[in-house]
Amino acid sequence: MPHTKRRRLVTTALAVALGATTLAACGSGDDSKAESGPVSLTYWTWAPGMDKVVDLWNKGPGKKEQITVTVKKQASGDSLITKILTAHQAKKAPDLVQAEYQVLPTLVSNDALADISKEVAGVKGKFADGVWQQTTLGTDAVYAVPQDIGPMMFYYRADLFKKYGLKVPATWQQFAEAARALRKKAPDKYLTTFSAGDAGLFAGLSQQAGAKWWTTSGQKWKVAINDAATRKVARFWGGLVKEGVIDNQPMYQPAWNKAMDTGQEIAWVSAVWAPGTLTTAAPDTKGKWAMAPLPQWSAGQDVTGNWGGSSTAVTTDSAHKEAAARFAAWLNTDPSALNALAKEGGIYPASTSAQLSGAFTNPPAFFSNQPDFYTKAAGIAKTTAPSAWGPNVNVAYAAFNDAFGAAAKSRSDFTAALDTMQDATVADLKKQGFGVSR
């Protein structure tokens, strides 16, 4: 990219991320002219069964309003972001995209997402403040409508906790004590594992502790991945790994599946979507697990982190921003749409009203022994701490995988790995041309 063009992009990125709200006019076309007559929208998404959900719109509100949506299935993760940005450079991005919360700053900083604050102003109250904040980037703009979330929780084998006389930990100190007690009573078992290949898990744990990895200072980004809150989390988990009271193998691998299924590991720090994973990873343990709030750093606290989740955004290339925003709001607030999303895509809705209705009136089949599963989950979701994402989350996560992977394997200092992650993230921002404040 030529230097002058790159500098212009960087300036635009900072203006957007630091509070400007005028960006949405770019690329959105003349809405008053564009909205007359039939409108056809394209939606890039990876969610399973989304075509069936969109059919509800096309046969109902969409038919009435002459707004038709066509689903184009895509791969998720970095490959989708790359594809969106490539299409945007050619001014051929789709009207709507499914975007994970942590990638919104990247898309916004590249002028790829429109501000739809005026179009969706009426739906803000349907979401918890901490969830809605992720789509505003701390500004007056709104760059997406929340779709699903992953509030973090503590899962444990109720039968084995009872067998070994363990109490469900309310604090992280009690969590560590339970890990030590189990190893003494059953040396062949671990309470859980620290998976160094899951940066999203560590980010959620740090979020719960109060970390804000990316913030802004004036016209510059400030990176604080190695702040006091995150160092506390790193020291805690690194200490347990070094002590040998928790395992250090990666999750989702055959060895981890076996450990979960046979009771070699009897707890899991995860999110609301865990029942689906346990169904495949530990099928023989159905009905033996229970869910509780995440342990707290101080007794009496009530806060959790978020691991996963996505939103529906309107691109600046769309000639039908108003129509696209209308669909995005319907998709993520209409009861029939949300029930279909849960049924077809297995999502846990960001909409607070949907968390106790429709598909969520009964517990997951794997947790049939816990009738109040979703009642508890809805209460926990309300306590989600605000997050703070930046324009190069992918770089930070890659650095986490490398540095923490090596530290976990050697049982060495996790805070040193944190410093490596911090340095890599700052260096990449500077390389991209962003101003960085220390």
Side-chain angles (χ1 to χ4, degrees):
M1 179 182 294
H3 178 75
T4 54
K5 185 176 180 182
R6 180 182 183 188
R7 179 58 57 192
R8 189 162 60 249
L9 174 62
V10 168
T11 303
T12 301
L14 286 170
V16 172
L18 302 181
T21 59
T22 58
L23 180 63
C26 301
S28 60
D30 183 347
D31 283 339
S32 61
K33 184 182 296 184
E35 298 308 319
S36 60
V39 171
S40 295
L41 305 174
T42 302
Y43 178 27
W44 283 5
T45 174
W46 69 84
M50 186 61 78
D51 52 339
K52 296 180 181 179
V53 182
V54 171
D55 278 346
L56 296 177
W57 165 268
N58 289 335
K59 294 175 181 178
K63 184 176 182 180
K64 181 179 179 181
E65 300 179 31
Q66 292 188 298
I67 301 172
T68 302
V69 179
T70 300
V71 170
K72 298 289 186 181
K73 290 295 292 291
Q74 306 291 334
S76 60
D78 291 346
S79 60
L80 176 58
I81 303 309
T82 301
K83 189 172 182 179
I84 292 171
L85 293 178
T86 301
H88 173 61
Q89 287 176 359
K91 299 188 182 300
K92 293 183 179 180
D95 298 277
L96 298 125
V97 295
Q98 182 178 3
E100 294 175 292
Y101 298 112
Q102 69 265 25
V103 305
L104 289 176
T106 300
L107 295 174
V108 170
S109 68
N110 281 278
D111 190 19
L113 299 187
D115 173 11
I116 54 173
S117 54
K118 292 181 180 179
E119 291 79 5
V120 301
V123 304
K124 178 181 178 181
K126 296 182 180 293
F127 306 94
D129 290 343
V131 173
W132 185 256
Q133 173 266 341
Q134 294 196 82
T135 66
T136 68
L137 309 190
T139 72
D140 292 330
V142 177
Y143 295 107
V145 179
Q147 183 165 106
D148 61 311
I149 55 174
M152 295 179 68
M153 302 160 184
F154 179 69
Y155 294 86
Y156 63 99
R157 283 282 300 272
D159 57 333
L160 296 181
F161 262 59
K162 182 178 180 180
K163 177 179 179 179
Y164 296 112
L166 303 177
K167 293 183 178 180
V168 179
T171 66
W172 287 113
Q173 181 181 349
Q174 293 174 4
F175 177 93
E177 292 168 354
R180 296 183 184 108
L182 178 64
R183 290 291 284 168
K184 289 180 180 179
K185 295 177 179 180
D188 62 328
K189 298 184 183 298
Y190 288 102
L191 182 66
T192 192
T193 188
F194 178 83
S195 182
D198 288 274
L201 168 60
F202 186 78
L205 290 170
S206 301
Q207 178 188 350
Q208 184 212 21
K212 291 181 174 59
W213 286 359
W214 286 269
T215 54
T216 53
S217 176
Q219 293 296 302
K220 295 181 179 181
W221 284 100
K222 184 175 182 180
V223 182
I225 293 176
N226 62 349
D227 65 358
T230 311
R231 294 181 80 84
K232 176 171 65 174
V233 176
R235 280 195 302 269
F236 177 81
W237 288 94
L240 294 180
V241 169
K242 186 175 182 179
E243 192 179 341
V245 294
I246 64 170
D247 202 0
N248 62 346
Q249 66 174 318
M251 297 186 295
Y252 315 122
Q253 302 299 315
W256 180 78
N257 292 347
K258 182 179 179 181
M260 297 290 278
D261 201 31
T262 60
Q264 288 178 301
E265 289 185 17
I266 69 169
W268 186 23
V269 175
S270 188
V272 70
W273 42 258
T277 301
L278 290 172
T279 300
T280 8
D284 294 338
T285 64
K286 180 179 179 180
K288 297 179 180 179
W289 291 82
M291 178 270 285
L294 209 60
Q296 303 292 306
W297 285 105
S298 298
Q301 283 186 327
D302 191 13
V303 62
T304 194
N306 190 75
W307 183 11
S310 61
S311 63
T312 308
V314 177
T315 72
T316 51
D317 291 339
S318 177
H320 309 289
K321 186 181 77 166
E322 182 182 346
R326 201 177 309 160
F327 167 76
W330 172 87
L331 179 66
N332 300 305
T333 62
D334 181 83
S336 62
L338 291 168
N339 194 49
L341 278 171
K343 179 182 178 182
E344 303 293 343
I347 68 112
Y348 183 74
S351 168
T352 53
S353 61
Q355 291 166 6
L356 289 173
S357 62
F360 304 100
T361 53
N362 296 312
F366 204 82
F367 281 75
S368 57
N369 56 304
Q370 191 171 5
D372 64 346
F373 182 95
Y374 282 123
T375 303
K376 279 191 173 182
I380 292 170
K382 292 178 182 178
T383 71
T384 304
S387 63
W389 302 112
N392 62 343
V393 173
N394 60 323
V395 172
Y397 277 18
F400 172 89
N401 292 341
D402 292 339
F404 276 79
K409 185 176 181 180
S410 63
R411 300 180 184 270
S412 58
D413 185 10
F414 276 23
T415 57
L418 200 61
D419 291 336
T420 299
M421 190 177 168
Q422 166 82 10
D423 293 343
T425 305
V426 170
D428 177 74
L429 281 177
K430 290 180 177 178
K431 183 179 178 180
Q432 290 189 59
F434 289 102
V436 181
S437 172
R438 280 288 192 178

